[in-house]
Amino acid sequence: MEIKKGIDLNRFILEEERKHPEATGTLSHALMAIENATKIISSYIRMAGLVDVIGKTGRINVQGEEVQKLDTLSNRVLIEHLSGSGDFYAVASEEMEHALFPEEGKDGKYIIAIDPLDGSSVIDANTSVGTIFSIWRKTSSDESTFLQEGKKIVAAGYVIYGTSTMLVYSTGNGVYGFTLDPMVGTYLLSHPDIKIPEKGKIYGFNESYYNKWDERIRKCVDFFKTEGYTLRWAGAMVTDIHRTIMKGGIFAYPLVGSKAKIRLLYEAAPMAFLVKQAGGLATNGTEDILNIKPQALHQRVPVFMGSSEDVKKCMEIINS
Ligand code: AHG
Ligand code: MN
Ligand code: MN
């Protein structure tokens, strides 16, 4: 099928499914459940300030971070839609210490990792936040099934609740972006076959940590500055990576002292999958992020991803 701008996401998912005669429809159901859940999350976000969705819940999550109302709401909406989709998926989430498994005998083929709401710390400032998802094949019926390398991802994507709401995803055949038409309530193909520029002019590092970074990281940032790059930092990985994919450049969250911030399973791996599908690079400084096998659900990793030339240059400086 010739891919036309404007076709709706459901039709696109079904056309993709048709390319695989062996497909049972389970993957499509998962994608459609995520599609519906994120439409609801989007409508709550669009109403923030008018309905009671902003602010802290008073709870601290497994990460030691304050849980915001929108974190909990987004997690609940995604899980409800996935478990009500007619298929059964195990789900691991930033907001849950352990993965959730369907009841016995209802084992599905796929498992799903989610960051239900990315950018918790900027929600109440009315800037762009997101949702990240990745779908993998189930390899066992316990939590170890989630400890797979990113290269084994079957499909991954994010939704950015930005100027418009956009769902960007890939099943390993390029990256496609769909914009939510808020009047019709449908995601329509607006960005077919997204490619990241080979080189950009923007670096996205949280430079407030400059003095806590390793000297080699400082050198890398100094290089971008002398080359005339400009700094952008949204405080939400989805927003920073979306900008990096659209405009080029580099996004990084290196070690701060000895600590990494970005979670491998549900943030770094899916975003690395998308950046690489768009023609970019994603590394932890020494290794392709898609080759790292997690040892734990909430494991963190340093990340450097974006335009191939910019990431290569940064690695050259770091490893020299
Ligand atoms: P989350 O809101 O899901 O916990 O993720 C926040 C992450 C990531 O999205 C972002 O790039 C980073 O934290 C922001 O870190 P700073 O607090 O250093 O800006
Ligand atoms: Mn996040
Ligand atoms: Mn989150």
Side-chain angles (χ1 to χ4, degrees), residues 65 94 115 117-120 206 233 237 253 261 263 267:
E65 292 160 356
E94 179 193 345
D115 177 353
L117 206 285
D118 176 64
S120 300
N206 183 346
W233 185 256
M237 189 186 188
Y253 211 118
K261 168 118 192 210
R263 279 62 55 104
E267 293 182 314

Side-chain angles (χ1 to χ4, degrees), residues 100-176:
L100 205 65
F101 284 85
E103 51 190 272
E104 252 189 84
K106 289 192 168 171
D107 260 3
K109 216 160 84 181
Y110 295 103
I111 58 168
I112 300 173
I114 52 173
D115 177 353
L117 206 285
D118 176 64
S120 300
S121 72
V122 298
I123 294 170
D124 46 4
N126 205 348
T127 55
S128 296
V129 293
T131 293
I132 309 173
F133 62 90
S134 46
I135 306 177
W136 322 59
R137 283 198 180 80
K138 194 188 72 178
T139 52
S140 70
S141 296
D142 55 46
E143 222 161 74
S144 67
T145 187
F146 282 97
L147 308 181
Q148 301 188 37
E149 298 91 333
K151 62 183 174 203
K152 300 201 173 134
I153 285 175
V154 176
Y158 59 80
V159 175
I160 176 166
Y161 311 102
T163 319
S164 58
T165 294
M166 249 183 101
L167 187 150
V168 177
Y169 90 110
S170 173
T171 53
N173 296 308
V175 181
Y176 291 83

